[in-house]
């Protein structure tokens, strides 16, 4: 082998960034060829693929947590990462080692020949290689962009999940919800379960029916019943709703994701009980999803970067209550950094009535927006805001404004939350990832 075997993980990642002429190139032709060369057997006993505009990461995390609690061997692939690339590839609850990723990259380099791969395609194949080596019962794969033409879709799923559909990545996926929904429904397979969350457009349902997928819809095939103190759930195999749970606790993650995870696990044959479900959701949390990092004032991190996710945040903030029963009584101070290709105006409109002060932060990353350009999306003249060059500086300003009873919300992008973690120190991130 050549000197590629001596590259560190960071050197490999730098190499991957320069291999392909574009950051994104949707399509399965190139990656399919390398996939077949790389693996001679299937990824795992069962494969679950998760697509959707919002809620993918939460759904993956919950399914993983339920399966691990029952002693299953599980792999999970998600993206992007916050600070460490290893966060993307998890085996039995632990990020894989740098050495194993380097080994995977070396193998891909050997078999790809002259086929050019994007950074995401290379990383996806590395995850597949490592999952196949570990003899797992289940792997759970989060789609990176869209579904039909995403590199993850070269793996044949036994179960497919579409969490939600909203406007995002319109340049790649289409200009309306029906087009975007059809792209994400491209992960469905004939005669295999296709599980859909609340309020997906008709194109998703129609595609499932057209190809003969076994469709499971929220509201008909599985459903929840909500009350202030607890909630109930009913679902399972079509025509036999044998799983019925009552007196469930509310999770720290979105209710739609919990519903989808329960339905997937029920189809997998898990014997779910109120006790087992409550035990898992009491401890299950995910970095950057209404994640509480400290109190007095409450410091909350969220990767919300489109209007649908912002609307979910707005509902929580209006009620001054976060998932998991965490509440506050004071005002809301927002630290926000966003990318230029997101619907910043739509996000700000969703949150305008629940945020009292804005600390706008510039993002020094590709497509990062300056604080001054963000301020153009604050439409009312009486809005209290200030601009900073970085998330760290904006956080400092927010803390000066905050009283102990207030909530400081840091949101707008994975980059924003990653910058928050860096400002707080690496130890806090490591603790949150372990949780």
């Amino acid at each position: 082998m050549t000197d590629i075997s001596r590259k560190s993980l960071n050197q490999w990642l730098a190499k991957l960034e320069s291999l392909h002429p574009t950051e994104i190139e949707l399509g399965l032709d190139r990656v399919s060829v390398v996939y077949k060369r790389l693996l001679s057997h299937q990824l795992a006993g069962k494969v679950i693929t998760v697509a959707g505009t919002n809620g993918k990461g939460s759904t993956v995390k919950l399914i993983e947590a339920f399966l691990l609690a029952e002693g299953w061997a599980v792999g999970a692939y998600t993206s992007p990462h916050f600070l460490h690339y290893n966060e993307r590839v998890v085996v039995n609850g632990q990020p894989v080692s740098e050495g194993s990723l380097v080994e995977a990259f070396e193998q891909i380099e050997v078999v790809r020949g002259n086929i050019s791969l994007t950074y995401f395609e290379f990383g996806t194949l590395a995850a597949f290689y490592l999952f196949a080596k570990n003899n797992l019962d289940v792997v759970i794969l989060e789609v990176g962009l869209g579904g039909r033409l995403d590199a993850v879709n070269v793996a044949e799923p036994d179960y497919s999940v579409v969490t939600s559909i909203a406007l995002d990545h319109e340049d790649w996926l289409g200009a309306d919800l029906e087009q975007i929904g059809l792209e994400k429904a491209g992960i469905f397979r004939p005669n295999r379960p296709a599980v859909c969350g609340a309020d997906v457009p008709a194109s998703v349902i129609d595609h499932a029916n057209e190809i003969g997928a076994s469709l499971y819809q929220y509201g008909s095939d599985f459903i929840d019943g909500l009350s202030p103190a607890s909630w109930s759930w009913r679902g399972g195999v079509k025509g036999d709703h044998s799983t019925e749970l009552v007196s469930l606790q509310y999770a720290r993650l979105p209710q739609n994701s919990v519903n989808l995870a329960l339905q997937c696990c029920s189809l997998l044959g898990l014997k779910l009980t109120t006790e087992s479900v409550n035990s898992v959701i009491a401890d299950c949390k995910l970095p950057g999803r209404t994640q509480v990092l400290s109190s007095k004032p409450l410091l909350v991190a969220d990767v919300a970067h489109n209007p649908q996710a912002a609307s979910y945040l707005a509902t929580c903030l209006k009620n001054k209550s976060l998932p998991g029963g965490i509440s506050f009584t004071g005002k809301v101070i927002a630290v926000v950094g966003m990318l230029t290709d997101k619907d910043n105006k739509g996000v700000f409109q969703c949150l305008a009535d629940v945020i009292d002060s804005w600390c706008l932060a510039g993002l020094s990353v590709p497509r990062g927006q300056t604080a001054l350009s963000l301020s153009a999306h604050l439409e009312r003249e009486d809005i209290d805001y200030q601009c900073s060059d970085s998330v760290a500086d904006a956080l400092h300003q927010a803390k000066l404004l905050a009283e102990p009873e207030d909530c400081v919300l840091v949101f707008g992008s994975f980059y924003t939350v990653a910058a928050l973690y860096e400002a707080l120190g690496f130890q806090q991130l490591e603790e949150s990832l372990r949780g």
Side-chain angles (χ1 to χ4, degrees):
M1 183 169 292
T2 67
D3 65 349
I4 60 170
S5 63
R6 294 191 293 271
K7 284 186 174 67
S8 69
L9 177 58
N10 286 337
Q11 288 172 322
W12 264 107
L13 296 176
K15 176 183 174 69
L16 302 189
E17 290 175 347
S18 64
L19 278 179
H20 200 72
T22 58
E23 180 182 0
I24 298 172
E25 184 178 340
L26 295 178
L28 302 183
D29 292 342
R30 292 171 296 102
V31 72
S32 292
V33 172
V34 182
Y35 176 67
K36 292 172 183 176
R37 294 176 183 174
L38 184 67
L39 298 183
S40 59
H41 57 286
Q42 64 187 37
L43 291 184
K46 298 292 182 183
V47 175
I48 304 171
T49 300
V50 181
T53 307
N54 294 303
K56 297 189 296 294
S58 298
T59 303
V60 170
K61 179 67 174 180
L62 284 157
I63 296 171
E64 177 194 35
F66 285 126
L67 294 176
L68 288 175
E70 293 298 314
W72 293 39
V74 184
Y77 176 58
T78 59
S79 62
H81 60 278
F82 287 104
L83 294 180
H84 305 301
Y85 188 90
N86 314 56
E87 299 163 27
R88 297 184 180 219
V89 188
V90 175
V91 173
N92 291 326
Q94 297 298 319
V96 298
S97 68
E98 291 191 5
S100 62
L101 283 166
V102 168
E103 176 193 336
F105 290 151
E106 290 170 357
Q107 292 299 317
I108 296 164
E109 184 74 351
V110 169
V111 302
R112 76 179 177 90
N114 61 357
I115 297 175
S116 181
L117 298 170
T118 67
Y119 179 96
F120 181 78
E121 290 167 343
F122 221 109
T124 300
L125 289 169
F128 290 175
Y129 173 84
L130 294 175
F131 291 153
K133 281 191 65 176
N134 277 277
N135 193 30
L136 301 170
D137 298 318
V138 176
V139 297
I140 316 158
L141 308 175
E142 179 187 354
V143 166
L145 176 62
R148 180 175 65 93
L149 299 176
D150 186 85
V152 164
N153 205 29
V154 299
E156 285 295 313
D158 298 283
Y159 305 86
S160 301
V161 181
V162 171
T163 60
S164 66
I165 304 296
L167 294 176
D168 203 4
H169 300 294
E170 291 96 322
D171 289 346
W172 294 100
L173 304 180
D176 59 52
L177 297 182
E178 297 295 336
Q179 293 180 57
I180 294 172
L182 188 59
E183 286 297 317
K184 295 183 185 294
I187 65 169
F188 294 165
R189 296 294 191 272
N191 303 313
R192 295 181 182 177
V195 184
C196 298
D199 300 323
V200 297
S203 60
V204 176
I205 308 304
D206 291 345
H207 182 70
N209 290 328
E210 286 169 6
I211 67 169
S214 180
L215 181 63
Y216 288 86
Q217 285 182 259
Y218 170 80
S220 55
D221 299 298
F222 60 102
I223 194 166
D224 57 4
L226 309 180
S227 63
S230 65
W231 61 286
S232 60
W233 187 87
R234 178 169 54 87
V237 178
K238 192 178 290 290
D240 178 23
H241 290 173
S242 56
T243 304
E244 187 163 359
L245 306 170
V246 297
S247 301
L248 295 171
Q249 300 172 9
Y250 283 99
R252 302 185 194 187
L253 298 175
Q255 184 67 27
N256 187 51
S257 294
V258 180
N259 287 327
L260 290 164
L262 288 176
Q263 179 58 28
C264 278
C265 289
S266 182
L267 292 175
L268 278 165
L270 264 68
K271 302 302 181 184
L272 300 169
T273 66
T274 294
E275 292 73 22
S276 67
V277 171
N278 281 341
S279 177
V280 168
I281 64 177
D283 295 326
C284 193
K285 59 184 178 180
L286 193 61
R289 278 71 165 190
T290 54
Q291 179 191 10
V292 176
L293 293 169
S294 61
S295 59
K296 296 183 180 181
L298 204 62
L299 177 60
V300 180
D302 200 285
V303 296
H305 55 267
N306 56 52
Q308 185 185 56
S311 294
Y312 174 76
L313 267 184
T315 300
C316 295
L317 296 173
K318 182 178 181 180
N319 296 328
K320 297 189 182 296
S321 177
L322 301 175
I326 299 170
S327 61
F328 63 98
T329 59
K331 60 184 182 293
V332 179
I333 302 162
V335 174
V336 54
M338 297 192 70
L339 302 180
T340 56
D341 57 352
K342 300 302 178 182
D343 183 4
N344 299 335
K345 181 178 180 180
V347 167
F348 280 32
Q349 286 176 337
C350 290
L351 290 162
D353 292 337
V354 295
I355 290 177
D356 299 285
S357 298
W358 298 77
C359 297
L360 307 178
L363 292 181
S364 299
V365 298
R367 299 178 288 126
Q369 194 153 13
T370 66
L372 185 60
S373 61
L374 273 179
S375 68
H377 302 296
L378 297 172
E379 296 181 331
R380 295 204 320 262
E381 293 183 2
D382 61 340
I383 288 180
D384 177 29
Y385 77 92
Q386 48 191 292
C387 295
S388 298
D389 291 333
S390 68
V391 171
D393 289 344
L395 177 64
H396 176 70
Q397 294 300 319
K399 287 183 174 180
L400 292 177
L401 295 173
E403 300 293 337
E405 66 273 14
D406 294 340
C407 173
V408 176
L409 170 69
V410 184
F411 79 98
S413 170
F414 275 82
Y415 291 113
T416 308
V417 174
L420 169 66
Y421 288 142
E422 289 179 333
L424 295 174
F426 287 87
Q427 183 177 357
Q428 192 153 10
L429 172 63
E430 297 296 345
E431 291 172 355
S432 68
L433 290 174
R434 285 197 298 269

